[in-house]
Amino acid sequence: MKWRRNLWMHSPSRRLQALSCRLVFAERRKKFLEAMGDGAVAVIQGARRIPRSNDTDYPFRQNSDFWYLTGFNHPHAVAVFRTDGGPAFSLFVEPRDPEMETWNGFRPGTEGAMADYGADEAHPSHCLPDKLAELVGGARRIFHVLGVDPALDEKLFQILHEMRLRSRRGVNPPDDMVDPRSALHEMRLHKNAGEIEIMRRASAISREAHQAAAHLAHGGRNEYELEAVLDYTFRRRGSSGPAYSSIVGGGANATILHYVENDQPLVDGQLLLIDAGCELEGYASDVTRTFPIGGTFGGPHRDVYEVVLEAQLIGLEASKPGACLDEIHKATVRSLTAGMIELGLLAGGVDARIEDESFRRYYMHGTSHWLGLDVHDVGNYTVDGRSRPLVPGMSFTVEPGIYIPPDDEQAPEALRGIGVRIEDDVVVTADGHENLTAAIPKSPDEIEAWVRDGTPS
Ligand code: GLY
Ligand code: MN
Ligand code: MN
């Protein structure tokens, strides 16, 4: 093809980026190929464009597993990995197409898949069904995620069926169909220094965004103005945007765990919960801070805030190698439950209230989740039925909260409608943890100061 033959002409900075990261993805592929064992073929599908309406799509976001292994950020691609003697890494990609590229932007095509993404072989995506029989024909084990693309599943079943029919002629279908996610997610759970550095940079951007939003936490503003400044800061600093729908909840909206409407006016004297983090180079940060609107915590607000803060510090303290998320959760729950009793939300003793789980009325979610390419990242939480011991390189959140519904007649009146959550991102180190979001203040005085710095003059 003469047209736009030179890939450099088209997208030099993206091309440089792809080339500079190539080694990272190559190392991951090497590890994944080892995990596959000999005689195996893995088919890993990338994300597709998702129509929003008619010919308009939702913003494209690559499948995290596919990204992790390829760094290829274009839709409708499939990677095939082989340890059966065939090419170790093939990419099936949308081919270059002058007309489509005019409408939708640059495609690396098969040429770019090999030159920039390290594929040993590349083919147009539409060739995959016809090539599938040849690809899996000699495999003893197939790695494939069922249920993502029913047409591809069907094709694969048909191929396996036909192989079985020919068994008398010495054709042996593969013995196993394995879900590649077990191996891949175990790899993704353990972050290396490069990934942790990206997460540090993501945390710094999230800090700046929370600070900018805190400056606007004053009566008369609307939640959406703060969401806008979060988005603006994320993008201005080069992240792709929020890693999940930002939560900006004033007053009782802070008691709704997944509040995302973000369209109500802020009222001085109430609390504001912001749960927002950026996505940088695919990696999520996930941060919650709770601010007093107008810059001064009222008495009951400060009381609840301090209970949550103490529990969060206890959760952080417990975040170290050898501990497990279940222990962190239990330590946090104990502290929160004691605080709920002091606040008059619960009656009786701490053990009894933990035992009967009545703390769940005001703390109904877990304390931690893995963090990485996905905000609720992948990786098994348990091994042999037990919460798994933490090791250096694992990253997760510590995010206790107390949420008192506005109509909760069991709660002291002054506490009704208060929602507080404090969330940091940590990575386990050899002797404890690094709190990636430690630079985002959370002591009540610092929090007040952040809001007051933005007081309208
Ligand atoms: N922002 C989602 C969460 O905290 O889990
Ligand atoms: Mn979280
Ligand atoms: Mn969060």
Side-chain angles (χ1 to χ4, degrees), residues 399-415:
E399 51 175 306
I402 288 184
Y403 315 94
I404 308 160
D407 56 355
D408 186 293
E409 294 188 355
Q410 180 179 302
E413 210 167 329
L415 302 185

Side-chain angles (χ1 to χ4, degrees), residues 275 286 369 375-376 397 399 423:
D275 183 346
D286 182 9
H369 55 77
V375 63
H376 293 171
T397 63
E399 51 175 306
E423 175 175 29

Side-chain angles (χ1 to χ4, degrees), residues 1-8 15 22 72 91 93-96 101 106-119 121-124:
M1 193 209 305
K2 286 264 186 299
W3 177 82
R4 288 174 182 170
R5 168 164 296 188
N6 186 348
L7 292 166
W8 283 105
R15 190 150 189 237
R22 224 169 109 163
F72 191 80
L91 270 175
V93 300
E94 288 185 320
R96 302 208 64 194
E101 289 184 51
F106 173 67
R107 294 176 175 184
T110 52
E111 188 187 353
M114 289 191 287
D116 296 349
Y117 294 90
E121 240 185 46
H123 308 277

